[in-house]
Amino acid sequence: MKKVLSYPLTVIFYFFFFLTLLIFHPIQWISLKLGGYQAHKKSVDIFNFFLLRCLNLLGTRFVVENEHQIPVERPCIFVANHQGMYDIPPIVWYMRKHHPKFVSKKELGKGIPSISFNLRHGGSVLIDRKNRRESLLKMAKFAKYLKKTNRSAVIFPEGTRSRTGKPKKFAASGMQMLFKQMPHALVVPITINNSWKLFRYGNFPLDIGVTMRMKVHEPIEIDSTDPESLVALVERTIITDIR
């Protein structure tokens, strides 16, 4: 019965999801042209708020566990496991005070209303995962931007999403580059649970009544240890809480 109900709810979800993408594309463009970064950033925050409301149409709930006072006066590097594309809206919305910018594959930089525009113009970095040298150069430039603007990075070191919730091996090079370039920043591990369940049946229908959980772990001073050991610590911290 639950799966039967998921068909009409998925149709309703996709209608409002794509409508939100289309509406906020010109809103972002106008905000950036007339109001600059701050206006564009505000439009992106509101855009992601509405994406969360779209997911609510599927009965999706969001539980965020964050017991830590993460300072906003210094840049952070948020590192999270990756279970699906809907990991992103809760991070953008709940971490909005930290101005999160994403490390994303270059393919997402064009063709998707609202999302591609934000990735290209909002401060995120688009990398070619097949070109390691170019990617590391872009990561170094990205780190300088974050330090200069006091903004934060979001990186999914698994590279591709886990379709079963089981974590994949973390790629270390991107994280290590950020750690080396931003020794006075904070690294904040985040564990995401259950978002993979939305895709239990594939892209259609989406599962309903899923409770997505996001646990924000205690921030770690980047200069407290060497980059290699820090990568291992962050990976252990995130994976320990995957259920």
Side-chain angles (χ1 to χ4, degrees):
M1 181 63 187
K2 181 182 176 183
K3 187 175 181 180
V4 171
L5 184 59
S6 69
Y7 282 93
L9 289 178
T10 299
V11 172
I12 294 170
F13 163 77
Y14 276 131
F15 173 80
F16 283 103
F17 176 77
F18 287 114
L19 182 64
T20 302
L21 296 187
L22 293 173
I23 289 173
F24 274 90
H25 191 90
I27 290 174
Q28 284 191 58
W29 186 89
I30 293 169
S31 298
L32 182 62
K33 296 299 180 183
L34 299 183
Y37 172 81
Q38 290 296 338
H40 177 236
K41 194 262 182 190
K42 179 63 69 173
S43 73
V44 171
D45 291 345
I46 297 171
F47 166 57
N48 281 274
F49 172 82
F50 278 103
L51 291 182
L52 294 178
R53 302 294 73 80
C54 290
L55 287 163
N56 289 153
L57 295 172
L58 294 168
T60 307
R61 294 177 59 245
F62 302 93
V63 176
V64 179
E65 182 182 341
N66 181 10
E67 301 174 350
H68 312 287
Q69 294 294 325
I70 304 172
V72 297
E73 66 272 8
R74 58 192 295 195
C76 296
I77 301 172
F78 296 100
V79 183
N81 61 307
H82 195 25
Q83 296 189 346
M85 62 182 289
Y86 302 122
D87 298 340
I88 296 171
I91 292 177
V92 174
W93 177 249
Y94 291 108
M95 298 291 124
R96 61 190 182 279
K97 292 182 180 179
H98 302 279
H99 297 246
K101 311 300 173 188
F102 288 81
V103 178
S104 179
K105 58 183 181 181
K106 69 173 186 177
E107 290 83 0
L108 296 179
K110 51 187 175 181
I112 310 173
S114 289
I115 293 172
S116 296
F117 185 90
N118 180 44
L119 289 174
R120 292 196 312 272
H121 301 285
S124 296
V125 61
L126 296 165
I127 61 172
D128 181 354
R129 290 183 295 187
K130 297 179 182 179
N131 190 332
R132 186 173 184 274
R133 182 176 179 276
E134 180 187 78
S135 296
L136 291 177
L137 289 173
K138 285 188 174 182
M139 291 291 281
K141 185 178 179 181
F142 181 50
K144 291 179 181 178
Y145 161 78
L146 297 175
K147 288 190 293 184
K148 180 180 178 181
T149 58
N150 194 36
R151 293 165 190 164
S152 297
V154 179
I155 184 168
F156 298 110
E158 290 170 290
T160 57
R161 67 191 187 191
S162 170
R163 296 183 182 274
T164 62
K166 183 178 180 180
K168 298 181 179 181
K169 179 65 179 174
F170 282 18
S173 57
M175 282 192 289
Q176 289 178 1
M177 175 61 74
L178 290 178
F179 296 163
K180 290 174 182 177
Q181 294 289 329
M182 303 174 67
H184 302 300
L186 286 172
V187 59
V188 183
I190 295 176
T191 300
I192 295 171
N193 276 302
N194 296 336
S195 70
W196 69 271
K197 293 180 180 179
L198 283 164
F199 299 97
R200 190 194 306 271
Y201 312 120
N203 290 318
F204 189 89
L206 297 173
D207 199 8
I208 59 176
V210 172
T211 299
M212 291 177 56
R213 299 183 180 274
M214 188 172 83
K215 181 174 181 178
V216 181
H217 297 275
E218 184 175 2
I220 306 167
E221 295 284 352
I222 287 179
D223 59 5
S224 62
T225 186
D226 62 275
E228 291 77 12
S229 299
L230 185 55
V231 168
L233 173 60
V234 170
E235 183 172 9
R236 285 197 307 272
T237 301
I238 293 171
I239 289 176
T240 298
D241 269 296
I242 295 177
R243 300 289 182 256

